[in-house]
Amino acid sequence: MYLSMVVPCFNEELGLQRFHDALVAALSEGVRDYEVILVDDGSTDRTLREARRLAAANPRFRYVSLSRNFGKESAMLCGLRHARGDRIALLDADLQHPPELLRRMLPLLDSGYDQVVARRSRSGERRWRSTLARAYYRAVRRFAGVRLLDGAGDFRVLSRRAADAVLSLPEHHRFSKGLFSWIGFDTAYVSFRGVPRRDGRSKWTFGALLEHGIDGLTSFNAKPLRMSIYLGALVVLASAAWVVRAAFETIVDGSVLPVDEALLVGLAGMGGLQLCFLGVLGEYLGRSYFETKCRPHYLIKERSPELGADVVARRLRPAELVS
């Protein structure tokens, strides 16, 4: 099969028909051999009913329904495991990932790239949001050890080799944008201008974005732990300098710093620093705890009869990724 498209869906009842029409129109001229896998991530509305209806009306559309909301990362992984195509596209159902952009992305993939990534510009976005996003991506590039470009999200097309490389990574906490960067391979970028949602609201709350951002910073190395060592050493040096200065002023001027003030400042500073270190350490310990459980990333409640079992039913070894 030429192309598989993986579409995570969560409460997209109102927009699935519009997405279907836009995608079919975008592929009607250049691509004939394709499949669309709708992954219902435990929606609480009628998304599953809409997915069943579209699958019945269009044989190219198939669906998988998860037993509950496991999150977009698990939904994408489920879709990748069911995809049968030589090329696999990941895009959202809310049309913020324009399907017509695939016309530009697929020729680049066929020219020799293993990944073609759609990079969204931030024109028209609120200034505070774009400023925070740029700061976060700079922090990830500096501390996480993977190359992430601002605006490069999950909307991308992968070769079969790149998709198999991602599927061979077994970790439970998955930060897909980082994993896509970590596997390497030749990557091309296509810019596009973001468009607002036409139906419903974004599922990314501030809390969800914050947790996702922490995943990105801690998923690939232990640099935050090393930073805590440096920061601790800096606090010790600052405290020593403060003690030396206070002693010097006492000897020269005879002034005495109130003991209660000194204790309060010192205890508050050291206490906050220790809590910060414990939080960083706890984050890594918690990740190790969940990894040792080896629970599945998701459970399937229902799927199209045409899909059958996961295409990738076993873990690939590194030697099997070489084509």
Side-chain angles (χ1 to χ4, degrees), residues 59-302:
R60 290 192 175 99
F61 275 68
R62 301 175 175 89
Y63 68 90
V64 182
S65 179
L66 306 186
S67 63
R68 65 169 177 85
N69 179 237
F70 286 91
K72 186 179 180 182
E73 297 288 345
S74 296
M76 288 194 297
L77 178 64
C78 176
L80 285 172
R81 284 176 172 172
H82 283 84
R84 301 175 296 177
D86 296 326
R87 301 152 189 82
I88 302 174
L90 294 165
L91 66 165
D92 291 346
D94 55 13
L95 293 180
Q96 289 189 294
H97 294 165
E100 57 271 17
L101 200 63
L102 292 171
R103 299 173 185 167
R104 296 168 53 193
M105 299 170 72
L106 289 171
L108 284 173
L109 194 78
D110 293 339
S111 69
Y113 290 100
D114 283 287
Q115 295 192 65
V116 179
V117 184
R119 187 180 180 188
R120 180 170 60 91
S121 68
R122 297 198 176 275
S123 59
E125 195 175 67
R126 294 180 180 179
R127 179 170 296 181
W128 67 268
R129 187 180 179 91
S130 60
T131 300
L132 286 177
R134 292 190 181 97
Y136 171 73
Y137 280 103
R138 282 197 296 268
V140 169
R141 287 194 295 270
R142 182 175 180 83
F143 300 119
V146 291
R147 182 174 179 265
L148 294 184
L149 297 182
D150 183 19
D154 298 318
F155 186 18
R156 64 188 63 220
V157 184
L158 307 171
S159 67
R160 183 78 256 177
R161 177 170 63 172
D164 286 343
V166 172
L167 289 171
S168 72
L169 305 177
E171 57 253 48
H172 180 81
H173 281 277
R174 301 182 72 84
F175 181 67
S176 290
K177 286 189 283 290
L179 295 179
F180 292 138
S181 176
W182 185 88
I183 63 171
F185 298 115
D186 295 333
T187 303
Y189 295 88
V190 174
S191 299
F192 75 102
R193 185 170 182 175
V195 295
R197 289 178 60 96
R198 299 189 61 177
D199 297 295
R201 296 182 300 176
S202 174
K203 313 306 185 300
W204 288 102
T205 63
F206 177 78
L209 286 172
L210 181 61
E211 291 184 5
H212 192 61
I214 293 174
D215 284 342
L217 288 171
T218 57
S219 291
F220 295 92
N221 56 49
K223 283 187 177 180
L225 288 175
R226 190 167 297 170
M227 284 176 56
S228 67
I229 297 175
Y230 298 151
L231 186 57
L234 181 63
V235 170
V236 170
L237 291 174
S239 300
W242 182 86
V243 170
V244 171
R245 185 181 68 85
F248 179 79
E249 290 179 352
T250 300
I251 294 172
V252 174
D253 301 332
S255 60
V256 179
L257 186 70
V259 176
D260 55 349
E261 180 180 338
L263 288 175
L264 180 62
V265 172
L267 289 175
M270 292 302 297
L273 196 61
Q274 288 174 349
L275 287 175
C276 179
F277 294 166
L278 287 174
V280 174
L281 182 61
E283 178 70 24
Y284 281 95
L285 288 176
R287 288 176 176 275
S288 300
Y289 171 69
F290 282 108
E291 294 292 343
T292 57
K293 286 178 176 290
C294 295
R295 289 176 179 170
H297 294 88
Y298 55 85
L299 296 173
I300 294 176
K301 177 176 66 175
E302 178 184 341

Side-chain angles (χ1 to χ4, degrees), residues 22-72:
L23 184 61
V24 170
L27 300 178
S28 60
E29 297 181 3
V31 181
R32 299 292 182 183
D33 185 21
Y34 67 87
E35 65 175 357
V36 181
I37 303 172
L38 304 173
V39 184
D40 172 34
D41 187 21
S43 299
T44 56
D45 62 359
R46 298 181 179 181
T47 296
L48 177 56
R49 181 182 298 183
E50 278 293 294
R52 290 194 196 108
R53 186 183 64 81
L54 291 176
N58 188 337
R60 290 192 175 99
F61 275 68
R62 301 175 175 89
Y63 68 90
V64 182
S65 179
L66 306 186
S67 63
R68 65 169 177 85
N69 179 237
F70 286 91
K72 186 179 180 182

